[in-house]
Amino acid sequence: MSDTTQELVLAADGRPLKQSLRRALLRQKLRALMLIAPLLLFVVVTFVVPIFSMLFRSVENEIVPDTLPGVTAALADWDSSTGQLPNEEVFRNLYIDMFKASEAKQHTRLGSRLNYEKTGLSSLFRTTGRGLDDIGEEFQDPLEDIDANFKDGAFWFTMMSGTDGEELLEQRRDLWAAMIDESMKGDVGFVPSMHVAQMLPWTTRAYTDFAIWTAIKDNDVVAKEDPWEAVYGALGMDLTNPESAAAIQSYSGPGADALKAALANVDQLPQTTFQSAFAQENEDWLSPEVWSTIQLYSSRMTPGYFLNAVDMELTPDGIEQKPENLQIYNQLFMRTLVMALIITASCVVLGYPVAWLLANLPMRISSLLMILVLLPFWTSLLVRTSAWKVLLQQQGVINEILVWLGFVNDADRLILMNNATGTIIAMTHILLPFMILPLYSVMKTIQPSYLRAAKSLGATNWTAFWRVYFPQSVPGIGAGSILVFILAIGYYITPEIVGGTSGVFISNRIAYHISSSLNWGLAAALGSILLVVVLGLYWCYDRIVGIDNVKLGG
C-alpha cells in the first residue's frame, strides 16, 4: 500500500491509517521500554555508575587544592627547578590553610594523600598540625600585653564586624565546604567589614574562617568566643606589611587605638619569618622536594595514579620511570594475564573430557557425575582454598603420598605452596565447573548421528572427532574460556592464601590499596587499566574468533 493510499484510508478512530500505525508502533516501543526499564535501571546503578565513579576517582585530586587553597595559588608562580624555597607569602598561606585544616582534622588526610607520592609527608603534616597553636601564641602573648583588649572576644568581634563583606564571607564559607565536603550553610551572625578587610587582609580572612566554624560547626556565638591563635598570627603578618601599617595610621574605626598601639610596639612581636617558624616545627619544610611535590599535585585532576599504576611517576622534569627496585605493577599485570591464560588452558584440558562424558553417557550416570561437578558450589570458597593449603604444603597430603610411594625423597619434598604453582592448581579446581557447564550445554546439542555418518563414510574415530565433533564444540570452549578467564583475573582470595609473593595477582594489590593503604585513587587506576586490558582482549577475541560463535547451548 503506497503512502498516498495510507493517507487517504482512515482508521476506525477517524485518523489517517499512516498516523494510526505510527502511534501504535510508538506505543509498542514504549511498552517494551517499560518492561526493560527496571533491568536497565539496575544495570546503570550497579554497573555503569560504579565504573564511572572508579574512573573519576583514578584522576581526582581535589583534596590538595581544597585543603591548601592559598598555598596552591601562591605556588603557581614558583619555579621548582631553581632549587630555591618558595617566598614568605607561601609560608604565610601555609599557616592559615594548615590551621584551618588542623581544626577540621583534614591535615592528616592531606598528608596521607601526598605521602603516596613522597614518603614522609604524612608524618610531616601530622606533627606540624600539633605545633600550629604554638606559632600563633608567639604573637598572641605580646599583643595581649600591648593592649588587654586583644584578650576579649567581644572586642575582636566589634573590630572585625562591618558592612559590604558578604562576598568575602561566602568565599570563605565555600572554602570550608570544599575542604570538609559538607554544607556550611547557616547564619554566622557575623559580616566582615570590607574597610577592615582592605586594611588587614590576613587578619580578616583568618577571623572570618574562625567565625564560620564557630557558628556553624561549634554552634557558638561568635561575639562571645575568643579567636583562634591563627588570628593573632595573621594580625602579626598585617602589622609587618607597610601598606597595612599606613592604613592603620589613618584608621579611626573600632579597635583603632589597640591597632595603633600594636603598630607602635611591633618590635615586641616575633621577628622571625613564618618560614623559620615552620622550620622549627620540622626541618623538612626547608626541602624544595616537599614543595615541588605539593606544587605537582595541586591541580584538581592528576595523572599521578595512572603513572604509578604503570611504574612511572610525575616529577618536576616530567614523566619518568620509577627506580627498578620500585617497579612492581607491570610485572603484576603480566603475571595476572599469563597465569589467567594458564588457568584457562588447564580448565579446557581437564574440563573437555569431563563434559564429553557428561554429554554422552546414559542419563542416570551423567546425572550422578553432574552432581559431583556441582558439589564444589555447595562449599565455601574460603573452605575450598584452605583445603588446598592443607593439601599442598610440604607436610601436606600430596607430599606425604608422593614420599610414601617413593616418587620424591623426604628431604626433597615438592614446594607447591606460596608460589604460582599453588595458585594455578587451586584456581583450576575452583574454576573448572565454569568451564565444564558451558561445554556440556553445547555438547548436549551435538547429534550422535553426525559421528556415525562420518564413520560410515570411512572416517576413523579420531578423524570423526576432530573433523566433525570438535568444531561443533568450539563455541562451548569459547564461552567457557571467556567465563573462566574473566573470573580468574579478578580473583584475590585464593592467590592471597596459597600464592605467597610469586603467585598473587594484580587484584590482590587492588584489594590491599582499598582495605589497607586506603590509596583508593591508585586502586581505581589499577582497576581501570585492568578493565581496559580485559576489554581489549575481548575485542581481539571477537575479531579473531567472533563473539557470535560463543554459545551456551541451544
Side-chain angles (χ1 to χ4, degrees), residues 187-188 211 213-225:
D187 183 20
V188 178
W213 185 265
T214 300
I216 304 302
K217 300 300 291 185
D218 293 341
N219 294 318
D220 293 326
V221 179
V222 179
K224 296 181 180 180
E225 298 296 322

Side-chain angles (χ1 to χ4, degrees), residues 524-546:
L526 292 171
S528 299
I529 293 174
L530 189 61
L531 175 64
V532 171
V533 170
V534 171
L535 292 177
L537 292 174
Y538 182 83
W539 179 82
C540 292
Y541 183 90
D542 182 42
R543 299 289 293 180
I544 297 172
V545 179

Side-chain angles (χ1 to χ4, degrees), residues 140-186:
Q140 179 179 0
D141 294 338
L143 284 171
E144 292 178 348
D145 292 338
I146 293 172
D147 193 310
N149 285 317
F150 287 120
K151 300 180 181 180
D152 187 9
F155 166 79
W156 277 98
F157 180 83
T158 303
M159 180 176 67
M160 303 305 299
S161 298
T163 58
D164 302 327
E166 290 81 3
E167 183 177 354
L168 174 61
L169 177 66
E170 293 307 313
Q171 289 176 353
R172 305 308 291 186
R173 190 200 299 269
D174 292 341
L175 291 176
W176 268 122
M179 177 188 293
I180 65 175
D181 196 22
E182 295 180 17
S183 174
M184 295 293 284
K185 297 298 182 182

Side-chain angles (χ1 to χ4, degrees), residues 406-421:
F407 289 113
V408 297
N409 296 324
D410 186 58
D412 299 321
R413 290 171 178 256
L414 300 179
I415 302 177
L416 303 176
M417 268 287 297
N418 298 325
N419 52 28
T421 304

Side-chain angles (χ1 to χ4, degrees), residues 266-286:
V266 70
D267 57 331
Q268 297 183 22
L269 300 180
Q271 301 302 307
T272 59
T273 62
F274 278 84
Q275 175 181 318
S276 300
F278 275 96
Q280 291 179 359
E281 294 297 326
N282 196 310
E283 291 185 355
D284 286 345
W285 288 113
L286 299 181

Side-chain angles (χ1 to χ4, degrees), residues 423-460:
T423 299
I424 292 172
I425 293 174
M427 289 189 61
T428 298
H429 164 255
I430 291 171
L431 297 178
L432 189 58
F434 295 99
M435 178 65 71
I436 293 174
L437 293 177
L439 281 170
Y440 168 76
S441 64
V442 171
M443 291 178 177
K444 197 65 178 175
T445 63
I446 301 176
Q447 297 298 325
S449 59
Y450 295 159
L451 290 176
R452 291 195 297 268
K455 292 177 183 179
S456 68
L457 295 173
T460 64

Side-chain angles (χ1 to χ4, degrees), residues 105-305:
K105 302 296 187 293
Q106 297 294 309
H107 64 297
T108 54
R109 290 182 61 247
L110 173 63
S112 298
R113 165 66 187 97
L114 294 175
N115 197 72
Y116 300 146
E117 314 302 335
K118 180 176 174 58
T119 303
L121 290 186
S122 178
S123 60
L124 173 62
F125 278 85
R126 185 174 60 254
T127 56
T128 302
R130 293 195 293 263
L132 296 174
D133 289 346
D134 297 335
I135 297 176
E137 288 174 357
E138 293 183 7
F139 291 89
Q140 179 179 0
D141 294 338
L143 284 171
E144 292 178 348
D145 292 338
I146 293 172
D147 193 310
N149 285 317
F150 287 120
K151 300 180 181 180
D152 187 9
F155 166 79
W156 277 98
F157 180 83
T158 303
M159 180 176 67
M160 303 305 299
S161 298
T163 58
D164 302 327
E166 290 81 3
E167 183 177 354
L168 174 61
L169 177 66
E170 293 307 313
Q171 289 176 353
R172 305 308 291 186
R173 190 200 299 269
D174 292 341
L175 291 176
W176 268 122
M179 177 188 293
I180 65 175
D181 196 22
E182 295 180 17
S183 174
M184 295 293 284
K185 297 298 182 182
D187 183 20
V188 178
F190 164 79
V191 176
S193 168
M194 184 53 61
H195 180 67
V196 174
Q198 295 172 350
M199 179 177 64
L200 304 174
W202 291 103
T203 309
T204 305
R205 275 180 276 176
Y207 189 86
T208 304
D209 291 337
F210 152 76
I212 295 172
W213 185 265
T214 300
I216 304 302
K217 300 300 291 185
D218 293 341
N219 294 318
D220 293 326
V221 179
V222 179
K224 296 181 180 180
E225 298 296 322
D226 295 337
W228 290 338
E229 290 82 356
V231 178
Y232 293 91
L235 181 57
M237 301 178 195
D238 288 324
L239 291 174
T240 56
N241 184 357
E243 295 181 1
S244 296
I248 291 173
Q249 292 286 5
S250 59
Y251 177 65
S252 59
D257 293 339
L259 291 174
K260 291 177 181 179
L263 183 62
N265 296 276
V266 70
D267 57 331
Q268 297 183 22
L269 300 180
Q271 301 302 307
T272 59
T273 62
F274 278 84
Q275 175 181 318
S276 300
F278 275 96
Q280 291 179 359
E281 294 297 326
N282 196 310
E283 291 185 355
D284 286 345
W285 288 113
L286 299 181
S287 171
E289 294 182 5
V290 170
W291 291 102
S292 64
T293 302
I294 296 175
Q295 185 185 53
L296 281 173
Y297 294 93
S298 60
S299 60
R300 294 189 175 276
M301 296 293 174
T302 177
Y305 292 124

